[in-house]
């Protein structure tokens, strides 16, 4: 039996589906008010609880062989950064400590390439040097501190953790959607006539999920593995999306400096009037100044990790968003 946190989310539900495809018994930890659309039709045992509620974690982890801690607060903007730190750092502490006390065989912790170094013009990987001061925004900062904490628990308490660092997953069941999913929706809807010069490492969410299972089976405790795909310029990504939708791809490249004032304005509006996360954020523009290119060579070599072509992942994501009413 396996416990999955964050199972109602994008990556977490993909991990659940991969486990079920292997005829494994799956238990999920879910907040009472979570949207269960991603797991409603799946044969899972649901434990109501929260990563900030140690008692609920203890109940859920009993009898489990392994834990996939996928739950995280993933947003590029928040009015309350302290809440993001609480979930991503203290929630991770709770899950890792309690699962270790329960003597589970192994824990896979879902980190992010956001905490890794970026070595333009080369590819970042698990060993690229990086400092906390280089982390842009509360999401990156909180995930950096969370991974630091995990490494400390491995060293001090013998926590049986393998760390995975997904890059930019896309695909079906992105119900929220994630920041990348929102970009795909806007582009597919014809709402992105221009773009900034940046790049991402694109990977299908199901390949990331399979990478989680490979890390559980073959990963070295204390090691981390980038789970990525193809490195692509944003212009390439938008061209594929536009072609899929039969639209003309955006051809205006906007300097980062031109977009930044807009980001400040929409963020200020959201802070004042309690709006949803802005589509354009100051931290997002700051991050876009670098090509977020990474290598999955270590996971390919040590875990047998593979990934499908990025064009297939993008087209499948566009189709799912279109078929489920996200694309206008």
């Amino acid at each position: 039996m396996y416990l999955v946190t964050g199972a109602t989310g994008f990556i977490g539900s993909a991990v659940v589906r991969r486990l079920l495809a292997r005829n494994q018994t799956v238990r999920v930890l879910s907040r009472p008010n979570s949207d269960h659309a991603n797991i409603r039709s799946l044969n899972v045992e649901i434990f109501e609880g929260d990563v900030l509620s140690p008692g609920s974690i203890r109940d859920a982890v009993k009898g489990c062989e392994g834990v996939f801690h996928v739950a995280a607060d993933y947003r590029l903007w928040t009015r309350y950064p302290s809440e993001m730190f609480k979930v991503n750092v203290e929630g991770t502490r709770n899950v890792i400590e309690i699962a270790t006390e329960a003597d589970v065989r192994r824990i896979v912790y879902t980190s992010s390439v956001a905490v890794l170094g970026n070595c333009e013009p080369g590819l970042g990987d698990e060993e690229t040097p990086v400092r906390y001061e280089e982390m842009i925004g509360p999401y990156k900062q909180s995930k950096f501190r969370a991974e630091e904490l995990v490494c400390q628990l491995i060293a001090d308490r013998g926590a049986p953790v393998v760390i995975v660092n997904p890059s930019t997953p896309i695909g079906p069941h992105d119900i929220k959607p994630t920041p990348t999913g929102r970009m795909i929706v806007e582009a597919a809807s014809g709402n992105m006539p221009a773009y900034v010069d940046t790049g991402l490492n694109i990977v299908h969410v199901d390949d990331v999920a399979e990478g989680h299972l490979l890390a559980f089976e073959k990963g070295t405790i204390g090691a981390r593995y980038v789970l990525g795909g193809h490195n692509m310029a944003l212009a390439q990504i938008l061209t594929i999306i536009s072609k899929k939708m039969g639209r003309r791809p955006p051809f205006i490249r906007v300097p980062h400096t031109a977009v930044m004032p807009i980001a400040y304005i929409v963020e200020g509006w959201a802070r004042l009037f309690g709006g949803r996360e802005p589509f354009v954020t100051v931290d997002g523009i700051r991050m876009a100044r670098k090509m977020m290119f990474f290598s999955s060579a270590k996971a390919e070599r040590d875990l047998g990790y593979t990934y499908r072509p990025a064009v297939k992942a993008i087209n499948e994501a566009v189709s799912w968003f279109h078929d489920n009413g996200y694309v206008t």
Side-chain angles (χ1 to χ4, degrees), residues 4-7 10-13 15 68-72 108-110 143 212:
V4 181
T5 70
F10 185 39
I11 297 178
S13 63
V15 171
F68 292 87
H69 177 41
V70 190
V108 175
Y109 166 62
T110 308
K143 291 296 282 186
H212 278 67

Side-chain angles (χ1 to χ4, degrees), residues 216-263:
F216 186 92
E217 297 165 357
K218 303 178 181 180
T220 300
I221 291 174
R224 59 182 179 179
Y225 301 92
V226 172
L227 303 179
H230 288 93
N231 296 302
M232 304 181 72
L234 179 58
Q236 292 177 281
I237 298 168
L238 296 178
T239 297
I240 294 171
I241 296 170
S242 299
K243 183 177 179 180
K244 173 72 173 174
M245 295 301 298
R247 300 182 186 277
R248 181 183 181 184
F251 59 92
I252 304 172
R253 189 175 72 179
V254 181
H256 298 86
T257 52
V259 183
M260 189 63 82
I262 300 172

Side-chain angles (χ1 to χ4, degrees), residues 100-303:
T100 300
E101 291 168 4
D103 202 27
V104 302
R105 182 162 70 88
R106 184 157 294 190
I107 305 163
V108 175
Y109 166 62
T110 308
S111 184
S112 170
V113 294
V115 307
L116 303 180
N118 185 266
C119 56
E120 289 187 290
L123 303 181
D125 61 21
E126 297 85 353
E127 305 303 324
T128 307
V130 69
R131 298 173 297 118
Y132 179 78
E133 290 72 23
E134 298 174 53
M135 297 293 106
I136 298 172
Y139 175 70
K140 280 194 171 191
Q141 292 165 355
S142 63
K143 291 296 282 186
F144 187 94
R145 291 302 190 209
E147 191 173 301
E148 272 188 337
L149 172 64
V150 169
C151 292
Q152 181 182 334
L153 292 174
I154 293 169
D156 296 347
R157 303 197 182 186
V161 183
V162 179
I163 300 169
V164 292
N165 301 80
S167 58
T168 309
I170 61 173
H173 306 287
D174 188 1
I175 61 174
K176 197 174 182 178
T178 60
T180 310
R182 290 175 64 194
M183 180 270 290
I184 293 174
V185 168
E186 293 298 322
S189 299
N191 296 332
M192 288 186 65
Y195 65 94
V196 295
D197 186 20
T198 190
L200 300 169
N201 182 282
I202 296 293
V203 61
H204 196 289
V205 68
D206 290 343
D207 296 331
V208 170
E210 182 65 21
H212 278 67
L213 273 61
L214 290 170
F216 186 92
E217 297 165 357
K218 303 178 181 180
T220 300
I221 291 174
R224 59 182 179 179
Y225 301 92
V226 172
L227 303 179
H230 288 93
N231 296 302
M232 304 181 72
L234 179 58
Q236 292 177 281
I237 298 168
L238 296 178
T239 297
I240 294 171
I241 296 170
S242 299
K243 183 177 179 180
K244 173 72 173 174
M245 295 301 298
R247 300 182 186 277
R248 181 183 181 184
F251 59 92
I252 304 172
R253 189 175 72 179
V254 181
H256 298 86
T257 52
V259 183
M260 189 63 82
I262 300 172
Y264 275 109
I265 291 170
V266 296
E267 269 198 27
W269 182 272
R271 289 187 188 281
L272 284 173
F273 299 102
R276 58 174 290 184
E277 178 183 351
F279 179 65
V280 179
T281 67
V282 173
D283 287 340
I285 299 303
R286 290 173 64 198
M287 285 187 276
R289 294 180 185 276
K290 290 187 176 182
M291 295 289 184
M292 299 298 290
F293 289 167
F294 296 92
S295 168
S296 299
K298 180 180 178 181
E300 295 171 50
R301 181 186 68 243
D302 295 355
L303 306 181

Side-chain angles (χ1 to χ4, degrees), residues 32-83:
N33 60 345
S34 290
D35 182 351
H36 284 187
N38 270 342
I39 60 172
R40 190 168 292 128
S41 62
L42 303 180
N43 183 24
V44 297
E45 184 180 9
I46 299 176
F47 271 63
E48 284 195 355
D50 193 293
V51 296
L52 298 177
S53 171
S56 66
I57 301 170
R58 288 191 182 91
D59 291 339
V61 81
K62 286 178 183 176
C64 289
E65 176 186 359
V67 172
F68 292 87
H69 177 41
V70 190
D73 186 345
Y74 175 32
R75 292 174 288 169
L76 297 184
W77 181 86
T78 174
R79 296 180 72 195
Y80 307 107
S82 61
E83 293 183 359

